[in-house]
Amino acid sequence: AEGAADSLFVVVDRLAATLLGDRFAGPGGAESMVRGAARGTTVLPAFKAFLEGEARLRADDPAPAARAFAQAVALDSTFALAHMRLARAAQNGDRTPDRMYAALAAAERHAHRLAPLDRERLRGFVATRRGDLAGAERAFHAVLRLAPEDPEARFQLADLHFHQNPYRGRSLHEARAGLRAALDDPSTRAESVDH
């Protein structure tokens, strides 16, 4: 790691975050999510809390995940990816819309700190929650153009097709391939149980 002598602690924290991220990154979209988180904060304890939240969310344990993400954003209020994942955990766990929408608003305020892939994930999540189905579909397709094997985007797009296509005069069979791929991917199995 390189950096100015007067920013030694920042350089060390960035190196530690990279090493932790490399160790934590797992199957599917986890690797890009963790790398995005490592770049999204300079506060090492916030990054550690994010990793804990991500592990709990992937283990289908949303309440502890939400607590960990809340800790991450308490330590770094500009940590956009942690706000976004807090919204996801709130949606899956306590199902408190106010908490989810507050976290999404904070993620949007700091979206400039997100990598392009994570910005598209955020756009898709926000558009879905706002009922902008065409916008959500465009965002999830954009994620898949950037990361064709992203399991979460495949699942979100398939979920949108399954639940919303009949209301849009489209076949819900558009969801079949995406749902099948998501069910075959171990990193999305916990998410698919809720749907």
Side-chain angles (χ1 to χ4, degrees):
E2 293 181 19
D6 62 345
S7 62
L8 179 63
F9 293 112
V10 172
V11 172
V12 169
D13 281 356
R14 196 169 293 134
L15 176 62
T18 300
L19 294 172
L20 275 171
D22 287 347
R23 185 166 180 237
F24 178 83
E31 184 175 344
S32 68
M33 187 81 65
V34 169
R35 290 190 198 290
R39 288 187 305 272
T41 185
T42 58
V43 180
L44 187 57
F47 180 64
K48 286 179 171 179
F50 175 90
L51 291 178
E52 174 62 26
E54 197 62 26
R56 300 307 327 146
L57 194 58
R58 290 183 182 281
D60 196 27
D61 204 357
R67 286 192 295 274
F69 291 130
Q71 180 183 9
V73 299
L75 293 166
D76 181 356
S77 64
T78 65
F79 193 176
L81 193 55
H83 284 292
M84 186 171 83
R85 299 307 275 172
L86 174 58
R88 167 66 93 208
Q91 174 199 11
N92 290 355
D94 59 19
R95 300 190 187 277
T96 307
D98 292 344
R99 186 176 189 187
M100 180 187 69
Y101 285 116
L104 283 178
E108 286 185 295
R109 278 194 307 278
H110 303 291
H112 63 279
R113 298 188 65 191
L114 292 170
L117 180 62
D118 292 323
R119 268 196 301 276
E120 292 300 335
R121 285 180 176 137
L122 177 61
R123 281 189 190 113
F125 192 38
V126 169
T128 301
R129 296 306 156 270
R130 290 185 178 151
D132 176 8
L133 305 179
E137 194 169 38
R138 279 191 305 275
F140 292 130
H141 277 298
V143 170
L144 292 172
R145 277 192 301 279
L146 293 168
E149 300 302 315
D150 187 279
E152 187 168 340
R154 285 192 319 232
F155 176 76
Q156 292 300 324
L157 188 58
D159 187 60
L160 183 129
H161 288 155
F162 183 79
H163 287 102
Q164 302 302 325
N165 272 4
Y167 301 109
R168 301 187 299 166
R170 292 168 53 182
S171 172
L172 60 85
H173 292 290
E174 283 183 64
R176 182 175 287 159
L179 287 173
R180 192 167 281 137
L183 288 171
D184 288 342
D185 191 310
S187 68
T188 58
R189 284 206 182 112
E191 275 189 59
S192 64
V193 171
D194 188 38
H195 293 79

